[in-house]
Amino acid sequence: MGDTEITFGNLTDHTSGFPRMPYNFAPANPHNPYADYTVDQMYEFISNYQAVRTVGSEYEYSNLAQGLLGHLLALNNNSTYEELMVQTIANPLEMNDTRVELTQRMNENLALGHSDGKVVENWDIPTLAGAGAIRSSTSDMAKFISANLGYVNTSLLKAMELSHQIRHDKAGEMSIAMAWHINKGDKGDIICHGGGTGGYRTFIGFVKETGKGVVLFTNSSEGADDIGFYLLDSGSELAKFKSDAVDIPKSTLEQYVGLYELRPEFYITITKEGKQLFGQATGQERFGIFPENDTVFYLTVVEAKIAFHLEKDAVESLTLFQDGQETLGMKIK
């Protein structure tokens, strides 16, 4: 990164130059992968990281950057990330079921997360809490959307409006604000964010021009972003049903099984069960991938595709298409 300063703004809009995940991320329990990643490990990584791009030059979604941002804001407030979030956002908006640590009431009402139809462990994210440690309810998130749209009389409105302002257009078809992703819609900009942890997927979005907001929670590894976009903008397309996937011979699918390196210490593992392929990125949950044709597969958990490349009838690499970026991964095993 040279002598260029990384600002809090760079951390919010994914132009810090940090990768999606730190390369020293090696969970002891892949079913709760963030639980044992320490602050010392994060400091070690950011102290020794050799950047591949200039700060501010390109967009790359970074869980590390979001987690580091939450950590630094908490340090600046001499508090934990949860204390800062509760003090600044949850308490003023009376979001009593929005916490990092589950309260008794939240635990009693918890919908267990599922992956491939089975209950899975909840993730704990102590060090990178800003990247996805908050648990909440649809009721509380409706309050949060209402505040962002100005329906609630709150001192947070000016700060929220500032967070909506576009910071750059370096993410393909999307614009990026402070953590918010902004998509053009027929009736106005769709300000939104989606994500997930083990066994859960979420989407939140709103359109200021129409005053409409949507929050969707699923307790499964299948996302519902397409439904959220459709509810906010009827011109958006719903995702393909799995039944629309084309039939690929098992022998062809078997060729794609293996380990692909997208960056140092960041991999996608492709596995097969019957005639179903699955992918799993470092530090993330396993997801199904479904064929458009013999070599191109689409995801349903996020809007992304994977294309496999053959050389002399052998699979050599794959390309991940996501967020307007193309990332090549060589097959190493």
Side-chain angles (χ1 to χ4, degrees), residues 4-17 55-56 65 167:
T4 306
E5 181 182 67
I6 301 174
T7 67
F8 279 19
N10 294 133
L11 296 176
T12 70
D13 66 16
H14 302 288
T15 60
S16 66
V55 175
R167 291 182 55 83

Side-chain angles (χ1 to χ4, degrees), residues 32-60:
N32 191 5
Y34 290 80
D36 60 352
Y37 191 73
T38 66
V39 172
D40 286 343
Q41 285 177 297
M42 178 174 66
Y43 286 171
E44 177 188 17
F45 176 79
I46 62 177
S47 297
N48 297 298
Y49 177 61
Q50 298 295 315
V52 298
R53 57 177 60 86
T54 303
V55 175
S57 64
E58 296 180 45
Y59 166 88
E60 180 180 2

Side-chain angles (χ1 to χ4, degrees), residues 30-106:
H31 302 295
N32 191 5
Y34 290 80
D36 60 352
Y37 191 73
T38 66
V39 172
D40 286 343
Q41 285 177 297
M42 178 174 66
Y43 286 171
E44 177 188 17
F45 176 79
I46 62 177
S47 297
N48 297 298
Y49 177 61
Q50 298 295 315
V52 298
R53 57 177 60 86
T54 303
V55 175
S57 64
E58 296 180 45
Y59 166 88
E60 180 180 2
Y61 191 93
S62 176
N63 287 324
L64 170 61
Q66 295 291 285
L68 176 60
L69 176 62
H71 174 76
L72 294 175
L73 291 173
L75 280 181
N76 190 56
N77 197 59
N78 195 29
S79 69
T80 67
Y81 178 75
E82 179 177 46
E83 290 168 347
L84 178 62
M85 182 276 295
V86 171
Q87 173 191 345
T88 307
I89 300 173
N91 281 349
L93 297 181
E94 298 182 359
M95 296 167 60
N96 299 320
D97 289 327
T98 300
R99 299 291 187 273
V100 171
E101 296 295 328
L102 293 170
T103 65
Q104 181 177 343
R105 169 186 160 90
M106 291 171 69

Side-chain angles (χ1 to χ4, degrees), residues 230-268:
Y230 185 79
L231 291 172
L232 292 170
D233 176 17
S234 58
S236 298
E237 291 186 5
L238 291 170
K240 297 178 181 178
F241 289 107
K242 294 179 185 178
S243 58
D244 291 338
V246 298
D247 187 40
I248 305 294
K250 287 185 179 180
S251 58
T252 300
L253 298 177
E254 189 67 41
Q255 296 182 76
Y256 302 142
V257 172
L259 183 67
Y260 298 79
E261 184 179 43
L262 280 72
R263 288 185 298 276
E265 303 302 321
F266 186 76
Y267 307 94
I268 287 182

